[in-house]
Amino acid sequence: LTRRAHERYSPHPAVLGDTGWLTFHDLAAAARRIVRALDRAGARRGDRVVIALGNRPESLMLDHALFRAGLVRVAVSERLHGYEVSDITSDCSAAAAVVEPHHVAPLTKARPSLPSLRTLIAPDAGDITLAELVGSDDDDPGDIPDPGVTPDDVAALMYTSGTTGRPKGAIVTHRGWVAMVRAFWAALPPMQPGDVVLHVAPMSHFGGSAGSAATFRGAAALPVAKFEPERILRLVEQHRVTVLPLVPTMMKELTAAGEHASYHLSSLRAIPY
């Protein structure tokens, strides 16, 4: 599904980056560069990669890279405390962790007790910076080897909230992830190139799950790191957003904000929540 999306929708917008829209061709190249960088760092098929990032274009790039490489996506909330990220990194024996800057110090302190952790990646910090991981357009490695992933291989570990103890990693196979994607396709109006999905719900959890279903059908992703109701409404109007995954509290605040100002929201046709 990932490779097919890269090929089928190559010229279409895929994700909004810092300098504008990146196409599926750009997304595919970034995913290949990430795979090569993780390979050089010693990550091999089946290894766990912890991702504790806010909503960023790199979140989508990492998802596509891990799926292509047969690495296991362990996405957690970037709002977790550093010791919680360290505990999860230890629990799943992660080979690499890609984190926000505020997680670097706690993970660095915990590294003596994390023997599996070979590579720490963060914006402007770590063994590899996030920019170095993603690379540049001048550093496209070309196609990557097919890792031979099977439907029953692990695609992701989705950690529970830990309300009754320590968080537990729930296994999602590639077969399970595809089933989830198909369920989104069945529940949502058809998505295609030209659709824009605004991600303000965490891409580490629900937003990222919806993101797979959208990008595999050629829709573009618009990541937003912070929920600010009026800004979200402006972005819906500006970028003609068609799909907006939310949690109910966000829906309530957006409704309240919309009552006090006029926004053109006619493009919006699906709100998964």
Side-chain angles (χ1 to χ4, degrees), residues 196-221:
V196 179
V197 184
L198 192 155
H199 292 285
V200 68
M203 294 176 74
S204 59
H205 192 250
F206 171 57
S209 303
S212 286
T215 56
F216 290 164
R217 280 286 170 87

Side-chain angles (χ1 to χ4, degrees), residues 80-137:
L80 292 179
H81 192 281
Y83 74 81
E84 294 174 301
V85 176
S86 297
D87 279 354
I88 288 172
T89 302
S90 174
D91 183 68
C92 71
S93 299
V98 189
V99 301
E100 292 289 354
H102 59 276
H103 291 306
V104 172
L107 276 171
T108 300
K109 183 178 180 181
R111 275 188 98 162
S113 62
L114 301 172
S116 65
L117 184 63
R118 295 190 291 272
T119 311
L120 180 59
I121 303 158
D124 305 317
D127 305 316
I128 306 172
T129 68
L130 195 57
E132 289 170 339
L133 177 71
V134 173
S136 67
D137 293 338

Side-chain angles (χ1 to χ4, degrees), residues 146-259:
D146 184 344
V149 173
T150 73
D152 293 320
D153 283 345
V154 179
L157 293 177
M158 305 284 281
Y159 270 81
T160 63
S161 58
T163 52
T164 58
R166 289 180 178 271
K168 304 166 188 69
I171 293 172
V172 182
T173 63
H174 282 266
R175 189 193 309 275
W177 197 278
V178 170
M180 176 183 65
V181 165
R182 287 175 173 161
F184 269 105
W185 288 348
L188 291 172
M191 288 179 286
Q192 60 189 351
D195 277 306
V196 179
V197 184
L198 192 155
H199 292 285
V200 68
M203 294 176 74
S204 59
H205 192 250
F206 171 57
S209 303
S212 286
T215 56
F216 290 164
R217 280 286 170 87
L222 198 169
V224 180
K226 186 178 180 181
F227 179 69
E228 298 169 324
E230 292 188 3
R231 181 176 178 234
I232 298 303
L233 294 172
R234 286 196 301 271
L235 287 170
V236 170
E237 179 177 15
Q238 177 185 350
H239 293 286
R240 303 290 296 163
V241 170
T242 57
V243 181
L244 181 59
L246 296 172
V247 299
T249 303
M250 291 174 172
M251 174 82 84
K252 181 178 180 181
E253 292 190 30
L254 285 174
T255 303
E259 289 176 347

Side-chain angles (χ1 to χ4, degrees), residues 64-86:
H64 282 229
L66 301 186
F67 292 146
R68 287 293 308 271
L71 295 164
V72 178
R73 174 190 191 266
V74 188
V76 301
S77 172
E78 59 96 12
R79 294 185 178 184
L80 292 179
H81 192 281
Y83 74 81
E84 294 174 301
V85 176
S86 297

